[in-house]
Structure formats: C-alpha cells, structure tokens
Amino acid sequence: MTGCCVCCSALRPRYKVLVDNIFPEDPQDGLVRINMEKLTFYALSSPEKLDRIGQYLEKRLNREVKGHRIEFVFIAMDALDQLLVSCHAQSLNLFVESFLKMVQKLLECDEPELQISATASFVKFANIEEDTPSYHRRYDFFVSKFSSMSHSGLAKEETRQKIRRAGLHGLQGLVRKTVSDDLQVNIWDPVHMDKIVPSLLFNMDDPSFLATDAESPRDEEHPSYIAEIVFRDLICRASYSSIKSVVGPVLIHLDNHSLWVPNQFAVKCFKIIMYSVQAQYGYIVITSLLEHLDHHVKSDPNIKGGIVGVLFQAVLISAGGSIGTSVLEVFNILLRHLRISVDNKSQNTEMRNKEIEFEDEVINTIGQFANNLPDYQKIEIMMFVMGKFPQFTSDEDVGGAMDSQLQMNLLKTLLKVATKYKTVTFSNTFPPEFLHPLLRMSLLDDPQMRVTVQNILQTLIDRHNNTVKLKHVVLPADVSQLDLTTEKASRQDILFMKKSGMQFYWHIYENMQMSSNKVDNFEALFCTMSLLAIELGDAEILLELLRLALDIQKMVVTSAGLPITHKCAIHGLIAAYINILAYLSSISSLAEYVQQVIETRKKEAKCLLPDFAYNRNNRPNRLSDLENSEDYRSSDLVKENCLFDQNKIAECLSSSGHDASRLSSSFIQKPYNAEMGGVSRSISDIQSINIEIESVDGSPSTYRKQYDEEITVESLKKMLAESSGANKDSEDKRRLEILETFRTAPFEEIVARSEAKSNHFHNKLNEILDNVEDPSERLLTEEDDETGSQATIPVFQMQFPDLFVY
C-alpha cells in the first residue's frame, strides 16, 4: 500500500508537488520559505505553468475556506502575493484570473480578517504595472464590495475601523488599476462613481475627526484621512470628460444628507476638488455648481445660500480665466436667481430675511467671478448687468418700471464688480454704451439708489485712492491738509472729457435739484465732482467744472422749489468744491478770492458753510426757524458778497493767462445724447448756433440774413417733421408699389431694371469723370511728349467684366 502511494505521488505534476510543499504540517509554522523559493523559481523558469499554478492554488484555497482552516488560507494568500510580485511575464494575465477569483472568494466570507487580507492582496496587485493589456477582466464585484466595506457598521469600533480602512484602500487600488487602462472597465461610469464617491464622502464626514485641532498631527490610519487622500487621488486622475462623473455624485450626496446647511463640509469637499483638479478643468466644476443651483430654484433660501457660498469659495480658488468661455451665461444664471429671490415676496419676515442673505451671497459671488476676469471683460459684465435694468423711454419711467429691491440689488452688483476693476484710461472704462445708461440711473427716484450710482462712478473714476478723503463735505483752511494724491491727466483722458464731460456735468446739475436728496446724496455728489477735478486736472477741464459750480449756485439762488435745507447744503458744497478747484488750479488770485467769500460767509451767513449745512445734529425746527426769520425773508442768504461772483472769478482766470470766455456760458438744457444717445456736446454751444444765409454774390463782404426767431434743435426737428409729413402718403404709396413689384414681377424683369439703374449710374459717373482733368493724367501726358511713350490708362477708364448683377 505504501509503495502504491509513492508511485502515485511520483506521477503527480511537478507544479502540484511544489504547491503542496509550501504548506507546513503545522499552520503555526507559516509558509515554508525554502519550498516557496523553489515554487517561485519554477514559475519563473516555466511561465506557461503560471495559470495551472494559480488554478491549483485556487482549488487549495477553496478547500481550506470550506474547512474553516483560516491559518492555511493566510498561507495560500501569502504565496499568491509572492508569485504575483515575482512573476512579471506576458502570461501573468492567466494567473491574474485565478488570483482575482481567490480574492473574490475571500471577500465574500463573513470573517473580517479574511476580507482585510484579501483587500491587502488586491492592493498589491493594483500596484503592479502590467506589460500586456487585459480585455476580459471585470471589477464590478470589487467596486460594490469595497464600497460596502467602506460603509461598515459593525458594532465593535476597532473592527469597524479596520474594515472601513480596508474598503477605502481597496477603492484606491481599484482606481489606480483601472483609470489608466482604457481596455479595462471604465471606472468613470456613473454606475461605479455612484458607489465610490459616496463611500469616500461618508467617511470624510466624520464629526469626531473633523472636530480635532487643525494644527495637530492627523491620524493617518483614520478612515476620514484615508478617504480624503483617496478622494484627492481620484480628482487628480479625472480628465475633461470625467470631471462631471465625480462632481455629480458629490452634489447628490450633499443633497441626500442635507449638508448644504450648514455648508462647512460642502465647502471642504469643493476646496479639495478645486485644489486637486487640473487647472484648465476648474470651470467645469463651477458650471456644475451653477447647474445644481438651477435645480434648487424653488428650494429654501438657506439651501440656495449654501450652494452659492460653496460657489464663492470655488471661485476664490479657481485660477484666472478658468471660468470658461460662456462667461456671460455664468452671470446670467446668477442674476436670474437674484431676480427670482426678489420676486419671492413672502409675508414671513424670517423667510424674507433668508432671501436677503441669499441675495447678498449672490452679489458677493458675482464680484468674485468678475475678479477672475480681465479688465475688458469686467466692463462687459457691468454692461451686461446694466442690460437687466428696464430700457427707459422717458425720465418719468425711471423709478417705476421695475421692482425697487431688484434695482437696488443690481446696483449693488454693479458696485461689487466695479470694485474689482482697475481704471487705466477713462475712454476704456466708460464706453458710451455703459456711461450713458449709468448716468441715467443716477436720476432714479430712490435717494439711496442715487448714492449707490455715485459710489459706482467714484470707484471707477478714482485711480489714486482719494475717495476716502472726500467722503464728507469739509472746508479746511488749507486743502493740502486733505493729503490728496494728484497726477497730471493724460491727453487721452482730456479728450474723453471734452467729448463726454457734458454728460457728467448735466447729470450732476440735475441731481442737485432733486427734492428727495439727503445729506448722503450731496456728499456723494461732492465726492464725484472732486474726483473728476483731481483725476482730470487740466486747465480747460477745471474751467468747465468752475462753470458747472457757478451754474449750480445760480440754480439754487433762482429756484423757488428747493427747501431751505437743500439750499444751505448746496451752497456749502459749492464753497468746499470751488475751494478745491482753486487749490488744483494753482491760481493764487482765485484762491484769495475764494477765501474772501468764505470769510464773508463766516461773518454774515454761516448757514452757507459746510460746518452748518452738514452738521447732522441740526434739527428741522432750527432750519424752519431760519426759513421764517426776517433775515431769510430779506434775502440775506443770497447777498451778493456771500456768493461767488462769476466776473471776479473770470478776472482771476484772465490775469493768470487762462481763457475765461466760456465761463459766461451756462448748462441750461439737456445734452443731446442724454436723451437720444448721440454725440455729446454743450447745449450752450448748440444755442449759440445761428442759421445764416450768404448772399448770392458770395462776395467777401457777405450779406447775411439772421432770423429773428432763435433756432434750436427742437425747432429744427419740428420743421423736419412738418416737411416730411406732407410727403408721407406719396412715400407710402411708392413703397407699396416697390414691394408689390418684387413680390409679383418675374426675376428677369427685376434683373433688367437693376441693370438699367446700374448703367445709368455708370454713365453719369463717366460723364463727371470726363469733365474733370486728372493732374496725374496731365503729368503723364507731359512726360509722353518728352519721351514719346504711351500714357498709362487711368484706372477709372479701365473696362472690367461684369461679375454679377442683382
């Protein structure tokens, strides 16, 4: 009998004998190392036997698992690991099939130790770079199993932590093994990402781990830490086409577990994403967040605010230009949500307060978006936001065409974007398409909105941080105490003000007259006017600003509708403003005259100085007492010596070599393009135009007839309308005939008519050119007489073939 066993043993294949020899009689002794070396040598010498070795090891492993001999199972897995690491051959694929079956078998066991051991073996396999591709491997089971292990809920904490760690390591190995091999399973498919990503987020969102001190060393064995490392690794490996496959499950997980309020964990997740994703793909993450915000359009404002807060943090991290090509669409989405929020008029005060907080989040996020754009796009964004305002048809419609709260939010948005813009030249900062609507909005009915518009103008005008120094109307003894930063204006900026300055001047003039003005409005106007003077301190511009100040003073003196408080405020504003202009002009005589008027006011009319008019401690009853006083009724407020005299200022300017002739012109009417959108011009210049007709002789001593009636733009428009009205019927009839011809006439007839018209025009042109002697032709003729050569045919006499007629 013994001899028979020996005989049968001798007939067994060598690989089976070598495999059996690695198992000791006592499992406590572990793997027989010498026999394992023999098996490894045999596998390296005969790589074609690897698949059979794997199959036999698989058979032995199944037998040990069924017999619950756990020690022998560990020995088998140890042998598998060593063979896997040692045998880098083209036939390794066949061995891997058996290996994966054995790993799967162990993962299906209920024993935690076997699952952990199998996962460790899989991770070792995942780290091996194979030389040959595999076409038939499937990892669906491993995705599901490792994900479920990551969610382990075993009662014993130590065992639970081990299983979760093993599951996370398994997912990491799975990603590394499959992400770079297009021939294997596509790990980015939603069916896989919907399991992997939530498993990582579930472990990252561990309150006990998050509560630890951020400065203390992190526990690298904690599942939260491992999950974060795996999550970063996953994002780093994502390509353009797979970013959304990761971000989508993140958004769904945050929704399902109500993690937007509070949004600390959501912010953490997207910070990891934005820091880990390739820079050129960052805009895809932002776009995904915007799309998700659209899905929550009817959600609680706190949820929407949480999403926008995450979006804000993502934009902070994103590199410049990573917002993507459809920049306007990004702003359009945010502005749409801003409008929807304003439209949600809830009677519940708490809910309305939530909406307001959400609106502030949107405005801040828009500003942060704009900060990542180049300056030229910031202007486009401001114009885009401007387009969300109603298109005004008349000044009466300015306040009521739209919800005031939405208008205020849009103005805040403009201001936020403006703070991110750095002005270099005014012509680039204020294109007509942007300047004109912005100035028109400075005439809104709401005083607070007008202040916001002035703040926008100040932000864009101020290039030397002087705004803070000019926030209040003050009258220092020496303007140099304000410590204003000045710089000579460039020629380009001066040309801009010559072209568009009248827009600024007229709208400032109109703002001064608005009865709803408050102290903040006057202070904002003073700051804007002063910044224009500082940034564009050219002599001619300063002259125009003096002209504006005198006109405002005249308006206050002659206006009967302004309350006394407004008159005092405007007089004080003009005094402080002309004092700054005198300082900037460096004309000593003008500065002396200004100080003389100020001293007179201090003695006779203190209410015309800023110290009185802008003292917020003044009470209305005191002002009403002043209005009813005998001094006021006797026009003490408008004494000539208390006002700035135009003639004396002109003398000061003339004595210093300046042309003061334009100082006598006033801003009376609206600039042409303030209503029509045309080219800016001074109305005083328009009114000075007289229509004159030269005599028939055309002699130097011309006789001109000047109309007694003053010709204005309005009268010319009226005359044009009257003349065009008479021919309107005939023009309409002719237009209908032409339309009917093109509808019914044959194509050949239309072509013939076009050819006839073209020939007629061509003949007339030739006739004109024949009657005009070309100097170049005469020169060529003279040269021909000398050289005897033929003159070159002029271009207009050359015959060109007809290309097409229509």
Side-chain angles (χ1 to χ4, degrees):
M1 187 69 182
T2 305
C4 181
C5 292
V6 173
C7 180
C8 292
S9 175
L11 294 175
R12 294 177 63 208
R14 178 166 175 75
Y15 71 88
K16 288 187 177 181
V17 176
L18 292 173
V19 170
D20 289 336
N21 289 339
I22 66 173
F23 291 93
E25 292 183 5
D26 184 0
Q28 298 297 329
D29 295 337
L31 185 68
V32 181
R33 298 298 176 184
I34 296 177
N35 293 337
M36 185 63 214
E37 291 175 3
K38 293 179 182 179
L39 178 61
T40 304
F41 179 77
Y42 177 78
L44 291 173
S45 304
S46 306
E48 70 278 3
K49 300 293 185 179
L50 263 176
D51 59 330
R52 297 183 183 181
I53 295 173
Q55 291 173 3
Y56 188 65
L57 270 172
E58 179 188 353
K59 184 178 179 181
R60 283 291 306 258
L61 184 72
N62 288 332
R63 189 172 62 199
E64 305 299 347
V65 170
K66 289 179 181 179
H68 298 285
R69 292 184 288 272
I70 305 301
E71 294 84 356
F72 286 110
V73 173
F74 289 146
I75 292 172
M77 292 305 300
D78 191 6
L80 279 172
D81 294 342
Q82 292 192 34
L83 285 174
L84 198 65
V85 173
S86 303
C87 301
H88 291 199
Q90 293 184 353
S91 57
L92 186 61
N93 275 333
L94 299 176
F95 177 72
V96 168
E97 291 301 317
S98 301
F99 169 79
L100 292 178
K101 288 181 182 179
M102 286 182 275
V103 172
Q104 180 173 341
K105 183 69 176 179
L106 294 184
L107 290 173
E108 290 172 345
C109 296
D110 294 332
E111 291 291 336
E113 294 299 327
L114 294 181
Q115 294 180 11
I116 294 171
S117 176
T119 304
S121 296
F122 182 85
V123 171
K124 292 177 183 177
F125 159 70
N127 292 329
I128 296 175
E129 295 184 6
E130 299 182 59
D131 298 330
T132 55
S134 174
Y135 300 92
H136 53 279
R137 290 184 199 161
R138 295 189 62 84
Y139 295 96
D140 297 14
F141 167 80
F142 296 100
V143 173
S144 300
K145 185 60 181 179
F146 290 142
S147 298
S148 65
M149 290 171 64
S150 302
H151 286 85
S152 175
L154 294 177
K156 192 175 180 181
E157 182 179 357
E158 183 179 355
T159 305
R160 183 176 66 246
Q161 298 281 46
K162 288 181 179 180
I163 292 294
R164 288 188 180 184
R165 280 198 296 267
L168 293 170
H169 285 306
L171 290 176
Q172 184 177 30
L174 190 62
V175 171
R176 289 179 179 176
K177 191 64 178 176
T178 58
V179 74
S180 59
D181 192 347
D182 295 335
L183 298 175
Q184 297 187 25
V185 63
N186 186 3
I187 200 67
W188 303 109
D189 284 345
V191 67
H192 299 314
M193 282 293 119
D194 288 345
K195 298 173 183 177
I196 295 174
V197 173
S199 301
L200 300 177
L201 299 180
F202 173 76
N203 284 276
M204 289 168 59
D205 187 20
D206 189 332
S208 62
F209 185 71
L210 295 175
T212 57
D213 186 3
E215 299 297 327
S216 63
R218 307 189 71 172
D219 182 6
E220 296 185 1
E221 292 300 317
H222 198 286
S224 292
Y225 183 82
I226 298 172
E228 184 175 322
I229 297 299
V230 178
F231 189 57
R232 291 180 187 276
D233 189 28
L234 181 67
I235 299 296
C236 288
R237 296 173 184 273
S239 62
Y240 172 81
S241 59
S242 55
I243 288 292
K244 286 192 174 182
S245 300
V246 181
V247 177
V250 173
L251 296 171
I252 294 173
H253 180 85
L254 296 174
D255 283 344
N256 293 340
H257 296 272
S258 303
L259 295 174
W260 293 113
V261 182
N263 66 351
Q264 284 82 359
F265 179 70
V267 168
K268 174 185 175 180
C269 290
F270 277 90
K271 280 186 175 181
I272 292 174
I273 293 173
M274 293 304 297
Y275 279 123
S276 303
V277 73
Q278 299 180 46
Q280 66 269 28
Y281 302 147
Y283 76 94
I284 301 177
V285 180
I286 293 172
T287 304
S288 299
L289 277 168
L290 288 168
E291 293 173 353
H292 196 66
L293 182 61
D294 282 341
H295 297 156
H296 284 274
V297 66
K298 296 182 179 180
S299 299
D300 185 272
N302 285 343
I303 295 177
K304 295 189 293 182
I307 298 174
V308 174
V310 173
L311 185 63
F312 178 82
Q313 296 297 329
V315 175
L316 279 177
I317 299 169
S318 65
S322 69
I323 294 177
T325 54
S326 57
V327 175
L328 292 181
E329 181 60 25
V330 171
F331 287 89
N332 190 41
I333 293 172
L334 290 173
L335 289 173
R336 184 174 71 247
H337 282 279
L338 189 64
R339 180 162 194 157
I340 292 172
S341 176
V342 172
D343 291 341
N344 289 337
K345 298 296 184 184
S346 175
Q347 299 298 326
N348 188 335
T349 304
E350 182 181 356
M351 185 62 67
R352 186 60 205 146
N353 291 336
K354 291 180 180 179
E355 292 285 0
I356 292 173
E357 292 177 4
F358 169 69
E359 291 158 15
D360 292 339
E361 287 277 2
V362 172
I363 292 171
N364 290 332
T365 304
I366 289 175
Q368 197 55 48
F369 264 108
N371 193 37
N372 276 6
L373 298 175
D375 279 349
Y376 76 91
Q377 280 193 323
K378 292 174 186 174
I379 292 295
E380 291 180 359
I381 294 305
M382 286 191 278
M383 293 170 62
F384 180 76
V385 175
M386 194 87 66
K388 298 299 179 180
F389 283 84
Q391 296 298 316
F392 309 132
T393 56
S394 65
D395 288 344
E396 288 74 22
D397 297 334
V398 169
M402 193 178 198
D403 186 276
S404 59
Q405 182 60 43
L406 179 58
Q407 290 188 85
M408 193 65 207
N409 283 335
L410 290 175
L411 287 174
K412 288 180 180 179
T413 303
L414 275 176
L415 180 60
K416 181 65 69 172
V417 177
T419 57
K420 308 298 181 181
Y421 180 80
K422 182 66 176 178
T423 300
V424 179
T425 59
F426 281 8
S427 57
N428 292 336
T429 303
F430 294 108
E433 301 83 2
F434 174 61
L435 175 62
H436 299 163
L438 180 62
L439 289 176
R440 293 192 68 190
M441 283 194 294
S442 70
L443 300 177
L444 290 167
D445 291 337
D446 191 302
Q448 186 57 43
M449 291 185 189
R450 297 201 299 272
V451 171
T452 306
V453 174
Q454 295 301 324
N455 290 338
I456 294 169
L457 287 170
Q458 294 159 17
T459 302
L460 296 174
I461 294 171
D462 188 14
R463 292 177 293 193
H464 299 90
N465 300 321
N466 289 314
T467 301
V468 179
K469 307 167 187 175
L470 298 167
K471 278 296 182 183
H472 303 288
V473 182
V474 293
L475 192 60
D478 187 358
V479 179
S480 60
Q481 296 175 1
L482 296 177
D483 193 24
L484 300 174
T485 305
T486 59
E487 185 179 346
K488 185 177 180 180
S490 66
R491 179 175 177 80
Q492 189 175 0
D493 288 340
I494 294 172
L495 291 175
F496 166 79
M497 283 302 292
K498 288 182 178 179
K499 178 183 178 182
S500 302
M502 188 56 61
Q503 288 289 318
F504 286 99
Y505 307 150
W506 184 83
H507 284 89
I508 290 172
Y509 183 87
E510 288 296 310
N511 264 274
M512 288 288 182
Q513 304 180 62
M514 302 195 77
S515 58
S516 59
N517 279 337
K518 299 179 180 179
V519 173
D520 292 341
N521 295 95
F522 290 121
E523 289 179 336
L525 289 169
F526 169 76
C527 184
T528 302
M529 295 166 65
S530 300
L531 289 174
L532 285 173
I534 294 169
E535 295 293 338
L536 299 153
D538 180 74
E540 189 171 349
I541 303 301
L542 290 176
L543 180 63
E544 293 290 326
L545 293 172
L546 275 170
R547 180 183 170 196
L548 170 63
L550 293 173
D551 275 355
I552 294 174
Q553 177 182 260
K554 182 179 178 182
M555 177 269 295
V556 177
V557 172
T558 58
S559 175
L562 283 176
I564 182 63
T565 52
H566 286 209
K567 290 185 176 183
C568 292
I570 296 174
H571 277 300
L573 185 153
I574 295 302
Y577 184 57
I578 293 182
N579 190 38
I580 290 178
L581 293 181
Y583 168 77
L584 295 174
S585 65
S586 301
I587 301 175
S588 57
S589 58
L590 178 60
E592 292 174 2
Y593 172 68
V594 172
Q595 289 300 320
Q596 177 184 340
V597 175
I598 292 172
E599 291 299 326
T600 303
R601 289 188 180 186
K602 288 180 179 179
K603 296 177 182 178
E604 303 181 17
K606 292 183 178 180
C607 58
L608 302 185
L609 294 174
D611 291 343
F612 178 89
Y614 292 91
N615 183 357
R616 286 177 167 82
N617 294 325
N618 289 336
R619 293 291 182 266
N621 57 347
R622 291 184 58 193
L623 293 172
S624 60
D625 293 343
L626 175 63
E627 188 172 3
N628 296 326
S629 67
E630 186 66 28
D631 291 338
Y632 179 69
R633 288 198 300 271
S634 62
S635 300
D636 280 348
L637 278 176
V638 290
K639 284 182 179 180
E640 292 295 331
N641 61 341
C642 291
L643 300 178
F644 294 96
D645 186 81
Q646 175 184 312
N647 295 326
K648 292 184 179 180
I649 291 178
E651 291 177 6
C652 297
L653 294 173
S654 300
S655 63
S656 60
H658 294 81
D659 181 11
S661 59
R662 290 180 60 83
L663 201 61
S664 58
S665 303
S666 61
F667 307 115
I668 298 175
Q669 298 180 6
K670 181 185 295 187
Y672 177 68
N673 64 342
E675 183 173 4
M676 303 298 295
V679 179
S680 173
R681 64 188 72 184
S682 170
I683 290 303
S684 60
D685 296 338
I686 293 176
Q687 284 194 324
S688 66
I689 298 176
N690 292 321
I691 306 299
E692 300 173 346
I693 303 176
E694 292 189 2
S695 65
V696 180
D697 312 311
S699 60
S701 57
T702 57
Y703 165 81
R704 293 183 175 89
K705 176 182 177 182
Q706 184 170 349
Y707 287 97
D708 294 331
E709 182 181 357
E710 185 179 13
I711 304 298
T712 64
V713 172
E714 295 299 326
S715 62
L716 290 174
K717 288 168 63 178
K718 183 178 180 181
M719 293 167 59
L720 181 61
E722 291 175 353
S723 62
S724 61
N727 299 325
K728 184 177 181 182
D729 294 338
S730 60
E731 286 292 326
D732 290 343
K733 184 177 179 181
R734 182 171 175 272
R735 190 180 299 108
L736 290 174
E737 290 176 356
I738 295 174
L739 180 61
E740 188 65 19
T741 299
F742 276 92
R743 281 179 175 175
T744 60
F747 178 75
E748 293 76 9
E749 181 181 343
I750 297 174
V751 171
R753 289 187 181 186
S754 180
E755 286 179 343
K757 186 182 295 185
S758 178
N759 291 336
H760 176 72
F761 175 77
H762 187 67
N763 293 335
K764 285 292 184 183
L765 181 61
N766 286 337
E767 183 181 342
I768 294 171
L769 293 175
D770 289 338
N771 293 330
V772 178
E773 183 180 7
D774 189 357
S776 62
E777 184 180 0
R778 182 175 66 248
L779 180 59
L780 289 171
T781 305
E782 293 174 357
E783 292 177 353
D784 291 341
D785 293 339
E786 296 176 2
T787 61
S789 60
Q790 185 65 28
T792 305
I793 299 175
V795 174
F796 60 82
Q797 291 183 0
M798 294 181 182
Q799 295 297 325
F800 295 96
D802 293 334
L803 299 179
F804 53 87
V805 179
Y806 60 91

